[in-house]
Amino acid sequence: FAGLADVSISEDIPVEGEITVPVGSHSPDEDYSTLDEPVRDTIMRDLKAVGKKFVHVMYPKKSSALLRDWDLWGPLVLCVSLALMLQGGSADSKDDGGPQFAEVFVIIWFGAVVITLNSKLLGGTISFFQSLCVLGYCVLPLTVAMLVCRLVLLAGSGTVSFIIRLIVVIAMFAWSTLASTAFLADSQPPNRKALVVYPIFLFYFVISWMILTFTPQ
Amino acid sequence: GSPPQALVDDTEDVSLDFGSEEELALRKAKIRHPLATFFHLFFRVSAIITYLFCDWFSNSFVACFVTILLLLSFDFWSVKNVTGRLLVGLRWWNQIDEDGKSHWVFEARRVPTKAASTEAEARIFWLGLIICPVIWTVFFFSTLFSLKLKWLALVIAGISLQTANLYGYIHCKLGGQKSISRATSSFFVTADAPK
């Protein structure tokens, strides 16, 4: 170290460096505190994360923080609600609507998986579960449309009611598609965006179709 | 006055306490986390029982489907986030960095805390974790061969959720050494703040 003896750092040079722990990793202390946190904290943390995502869907602005913290509770709740509301239609067979209910489930989850695989094959950078999370959460506007349709159908099922339902469903369908593309299309190279958007379009189109063609017994 | 001086004087009079009554009882108990143990088994066993006896509970396919699905989801969440860390000190999760890459993290607790888990709890945990996916796989084949296909979606969901937890915890158990050393080294690197 003899060569360094005459090296001196003047007082004026600011010494800089990263003191913060990078966001991606946890220090052992932080980990063990979440390993030992009380259960209520865990539940509240997850509930708040789910609520935040619902709000984000209603006001879609690009936020990578939202994407990073994925969960599938929202899609589960939305899927179950949508499937329940699509029950009791005249298209049901004479038993208790079993196949219809499972169909909605399969369409939503299988459809979301296929879209995710499609975007990954096209070279997208988003991860599998993140994509499922976004697609699932963006079903929220359509679930709202279903609720509105059922209420409108309570009032009557004539032409006026059909027109109202058509407008509502089209508006919500556009909202869903735009919200999910706002999150998903950015993970794709620019010349592939249309190839990624059109399956999303089809997916929400099929769901919107199921909603619009629902007629009560 | 000099507060540090006073503190030193105080500690000289403190008698060494090897643990209160409560702590001794805790150390002797066979099951230190009764609630966690109960819930670990409750959701999974209820889901299986509801599936087997759904005809007794309700005529409606939809009600049974939703109930079992909710039980399976609660089970997945509680085993992944609560009972794993309380009963065996293991935890796994998915993390996504700033550049969008996702990776799975598997943690194993090294330092035993005051309320560390016991043999009995660990045994209950692993038995519950292993036996239930096996039972759901049996259901899968019975549903397939009896052609009650409307239940198939549910059984597949059950198998996926339970096998995911099983796989995650086995990974934690086997890979504990590696991830702890990686976490420790990253801690030392970032703690190196320039003075």
Side-chain angles (χ1 to χ4, degrees):
Chain A
F1 292 87
L4 290 174
D6 52 357
V7 171
S8 62
I9 299 177
S10 86
E11 299 290 314
D12 300 336
I13 300 179
V15 180
E16 297 173 28
E18 272 293 323
I19 301 185
T20 56
V21 177
V23 178
S25 73
H26 294 276
S27 70
D29 286 344
E30 201 184 295
D31 272 336
Y32 286 3
S33 69
T34 60
L35 262 176
D36 291 320
E37 69 182 356
V39 179
R40 193 172 327 140
D41 284 3
T42 318
I43 297 181
M44 287 318 295
R45 190 156 40 91
D46 282 351
L47 278 178
K48 272 194 255 206
V50 171
K52 219 173 3 171
K53 284 202 226 359
F54 274 126
V55 170
H56 256 100
V57 173
M58 297 316 282
Y59 303 105
K61 46 188 197 302
K62 235 170 16 215
S63 156
S64 63
L66 176 76
L67 273 189
R68 285 225 303 269
D69 194 13
W70 63 266
D71 75 80
L72 293 176
W73 283 108
L76 176 72
V77 166
L78 288 173
C79 196
V80 170
S81 333
L82 195 57
L84 282 176
M85 287 195 278
L86 279 168
Q87 289 304 292
S90 57
D92 275 345
S93 47
K94 62 173 155 51
D95 66 344
D96 56 353
Q100 201 91 12
F101 185 85
E103 259 169 36
V104 175
F105 249 90
V106 168
I107 287 178
I108 293 184
W109 286 103
F110 187 67
V113 166
V114 165
I115 295 180
T116 308
L117 286 178
N118 174 64
S119 83
K120 288 206 78 85
L121 285 173
L122 285 173
T125 59
I126 202 172
S127 92
F128 182 77
F129 286 108
Q130 272 179 315
S131 171
L132 282 187
C133 168
V134 170
L135 289 167
Y137 271 98
C138 289
V139 172
L140 177 65
L142 285 170
T143 312
V144 169
M146 182 73 222
L147 193 61
V148 170
C149 283
R150 281 216 87 148
L151 292 175
V152 168
L153 280 169
L154 280 179
S157 48
T159 319
V160 176
S161 115
F162 176 75
I163 291 179
I164 298 178
R165 282 185 291 133
L166 183 66
I167 294 176
V168 169
V169 169
I170 289 181
M172 294 296 139
F173 159 68
W175 195 334
S176 284
T177 312
L178 287 174
S180 57
T181 11
F183 289 121
L184 291 179
D186 270 345
S187 61
Q188 293 290 337
N191 56 339
R192 296 258 178 90
K193 284 209 206 301
L195 280 175
V196 167
V197 170
Y198 105 86
I200 300 179
F201 179 91
L202 275 180
F203 176 65
Y204 290 122
F205 182 79
V206 166
I207 299 179
S208 312
W209 184 259
M210 284 196 297
I211 293 175
L212 195 56
T213 57
F214 174 80
T215 46
Q217 255 162 351
Chain B
S2 47
Q5 208 61 349
L7 271 173
V8 168
D9 289 339
D10 273 347
T11 53
E12 283 175 346
D13 290 339
V14 170
S15 65
L16 288 174
D17 191 6
F18 283 105
S20 57
E21 281 289 325
E22 206 176 280
E23 285 179 27
L24 284 173
L26 203 61
R27 237 173 277 153
K28 277 199 228 135
K30 289 205 98 167
I31 295 200
R32 293 206 190 115
H33 304 103
L35 262 186
T37 316
F38 170 73
F39 276 110
H40 176 73
L41 294 175
F42 172 70
F43 288 128
R44 351 195 97 206
V45 171
S46 306
I48 291 179
I49 291 182
T50 314
Y51 180 79
L52 284 174
F53 301 116
C54 59
D55 288 331
W56 290 4
F57 292 138
S58 155
N59 272 332
S60 157
F61 166 80
V62 173
C64 286
F65 190 102
V66 174
T67 310
I68 298 177
L69 192 64
L70 287 178
L71 285 170
L72 286 171
S73 311
F74 291 152
D75 164 72
F76 177 79
W77 184 88
S78 58
V79 170
K80 179 173 178 294
N81 289 301
V82 178
T83 65
R85 60 180 165 92
L86 287 180
L87 294 184
V88 288
L90 300 172
R91 196 159 182 213
W92 61 279
W93 70 89
N94 175 260
Q95 217 164 271
I96 298 185
D97 324 323
E98 286 166 15
D99 52 355
K101 271 224 297 264
S102 105
H103 50 267
W104 298 90
V105 185
F106 302 94
E107 285 284 328
R109 172 193 279 146
R110 283 290 147 150
V111 179
T113 57
K114 198 168 57 168
S117 52
T118 60
E119 268 293 316
E121 284 176 341
R123 207 174 309 135
I124 293 179
F125 178 83
W126 289 108
L127 278 179
L129 203 64
I130 294 176
I131 292 183
C132 292
V134 170
I135 295 183
W136 282 102
T137 315
V138 170
F139 287 160
F140 174 76
F141 288 113
S142 77
T143 314
L144 201 58
F145 294 142
S146 65
L147 294 179
K148 289 198 290 183
L149 295 178
K150 65 184 181 179
W151 291 105
L152 206 59
L154 188 63
V155 175
I156 291 180
I159 294 180
S160 330
L161 290 174
Q162 311 236 316
T163 317
N165 258 326
L166 179 64
Y167 175 76
Y169 280 115
I170 290 185
H171 214 290
C172 285
K173 189 85 183 163
L174 298 179
Q177 190 71 37
K178 202 165 36 158
S179 58
I180 283 299
S181 62
R182 184 159 50 90
T184 317
S185 65
S186 76
F187 174 70
F188 282 123
V189 165
T190 54
D192 226 352
K195 302 246 180 356

